[in-house]
């Protein structure tokens, strides 16, 4: 059995990108909440400070989680399967006989797909610098080389945040109850779908925290809708 782990340089390369993406999402949310109002109020300064404080704590926590995920991430190759191990996630084993596709992304990331959409192993090229994993997989399944990834997939989290922010602007910036209701239904549907997706995923860590937070958002949304339409 062969075992592969990320070098320390992987974490050093990823954490600045994580901070930038998180800060951008935080800026979008705070921008909608604070500047979507017609008049600036003194209480907005309190909201801004709380948001920045909470965002700072969130960024520090995310960096720590990223380090744990990188340090614990391993890929094992046995005689008949590939196994991914990572903290906060159950081990994921994909037998070679069940591999349906192997994809190599433009930046060298490898994606191994199993029989279901949740049987998915992906990792950065840092894990396989000498090409041993790729060489083994290429003898099992042809490797599909992607030369381009659509922008909406590269920046899915940022675009999703912008979409949610846009719906919030429509909801609370419009006096039309029909427009408010439609935007609320779209947002509610997106939140419910995210709960279902996260609950079924085998690659997302901290499921209970994400699902719990989303459920509270759904409750808050329903209460807001009721108060607005009652």
């Amino acid at each position: 059995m062969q075992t592969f782990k990320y070098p320390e340089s992987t974490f050093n390369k990823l954490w600045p990108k994580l901070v930038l993406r998180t800060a951008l999402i935080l800026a979008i949310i705070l921008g909608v909440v604070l500047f979507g109002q017609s008049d600036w109020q003194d209480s907005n300064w309190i909201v801004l400070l709380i948001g920045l404080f909470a965002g700072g704590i969130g960024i520090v926590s995310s960096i720590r989680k990223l380090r744990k995920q990188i340090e614990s991430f391993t890929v094992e190759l046995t005689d008949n399967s590939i196994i991914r191990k990572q903290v906060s996630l159950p081990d994921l084993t994909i037998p070679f006989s069940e591999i349906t596709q192997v994809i190599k992304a433009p930046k060298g990331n490898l994606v191994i797909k199993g029989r279901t959409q949740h049987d998915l192993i992906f990792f950065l090229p840092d894990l396989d610098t000498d090409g041993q994993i790729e060489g083994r997989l290429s003898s099992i399944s042809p490797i599909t080389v992607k030369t381009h990834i659509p922008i909406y997939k590269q920046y899915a989290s940022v675009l999703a945040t912008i979409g949610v922010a846009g719906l919030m602007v429509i909801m609370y910036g419009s006096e039309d109850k029909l427009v408010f209701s439609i935007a609320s239904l779209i947002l509610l549907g997106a939140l419910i779908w995210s709960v279902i997706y996260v609950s079924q995923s085998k690659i997302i860590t901290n499921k209970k925290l994400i699902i719990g937070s989303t459920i509270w958002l759904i409750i808050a949304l329903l209460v807001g809708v009721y108060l607005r339409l009652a």
Side-chain angles (χ1 to χ4, degrees):
M1 181 176 68
Q2 295 174 286
T3 302
F4 303 85
K5 293 180 66 69
Y6 283 120
E8 177 65 23
S9 58
T10 302
F11 170 76
N12 296 331
K13 180 172 62 177
L14 291 180
W15 77 259
K17 297 179 180 179
L18 172 67
V19 171
L20 180 61
R21 184 173 66 248
T22 306
L24 178 59
I25 291 174
L26 177 63
I28 292 172
I29 294 174
L30 287 177
V32 170
V33 173
L34 296 175
F35 300 104
Q37 304 176 31
S38 56
D39 297 319
W40 181 273
Q41 302 174 6
D42 291 340
S43 60
N44 286 5
W45 289 111
I46 299 176
V47 174
L48 177 60
L49 291 175
I50 293 175
L52 291 175
F53 179 73
I57 293 177
I59 289 175
V60 172
S61 176
S62 296
I63 292 175
R64 289 175 178 172
K65 290 176 182 177
L66 176 64
R67 177 179 285 279
K68 289 182 180 180
Q69 291 169 3
I70 293 297
E71 291 178 346
S72 65
F73 189 97
T74 61
V75 167
E76 297 177 354
L77 287 178
T78 68
D79 292 337
N80 53 21
S81 65
I82 181 169
I83 306 168
R84 182 224 59 208
K85 295 182 178 180
Q86 186 178 1
V87 67
S88 302
L89 287 175
D91 295 351
L92 175 57
T93 301
I94 301 180
F96 292 149
S97 60
E98 295 183 7
I99 292 178
T100 58
Q101 189 178 24
V102 179
I103 301 173
K104 186 172 185 178
K107 294 183 179 180
N109 303 342
L110 278 181
V111 181
I112 299 98
K113 294 184 177 182
R115 287 184 176 177
T116 73
Q117 62 175 336
H118 300 293
D119 291 329
L120 191 70
I121 297 175
F122 65 92
F123 50 85
L124 303 174
D126 302 35
L127 193 79
D128 188 32
T129 53
D130 55 3
Q132 291 188 56
I133 301 177
E134 183 177 349
R136 182 74 178 276
L137 293 175
S138 64
S139 65
I140 299 167
S141 175
I143 295 180
T144 303
V145 179
K146 298 280 188 177
T147 58
H148 173 70
I149 296 179
I151 292 180
Y152 72 89
K153 288 187 177 181
Q154 295 183 48
Y155 304 100
S157 60
V158 175
L159 292 175
T161 302
I162 293 174
V164 171
L167 287 171
M168 291 174 64
V169 169
I170 293 173
M171 286 171 60
Y172 296 103
S174 174
E175 298 296 331
D176 190 320
K177 289 189 176 182
L178 178 60
V179 173
F180 174 83
S181 300
I182 293 174
S184 300
L185 285 174
I186 295 174
L187 183 55
L188 179 62
L191 291 173
I192 293 175
W193 175 85
S194 68
V195 168
I196 296 173
Y197 179 82
V198 170
S199 65
Q200 295 178 343
S201 174
K202 297 179 181 179
I203 62 175
I204 296 177
T205 58
N206 303 316
K207 284 187 179 183
K208 291 183 179 179
L209 176 61
I210 295 174
I211 292 175
S213 300
T214 306
I215 289 175
W216 278 112
L217 283 175
I218 292 173
I219 294 173
L221 175 63
L222 292 173
V223 171
V225 170
Y226 172 78
L227 293 175
R228 176 71 181 275
L229 298 180

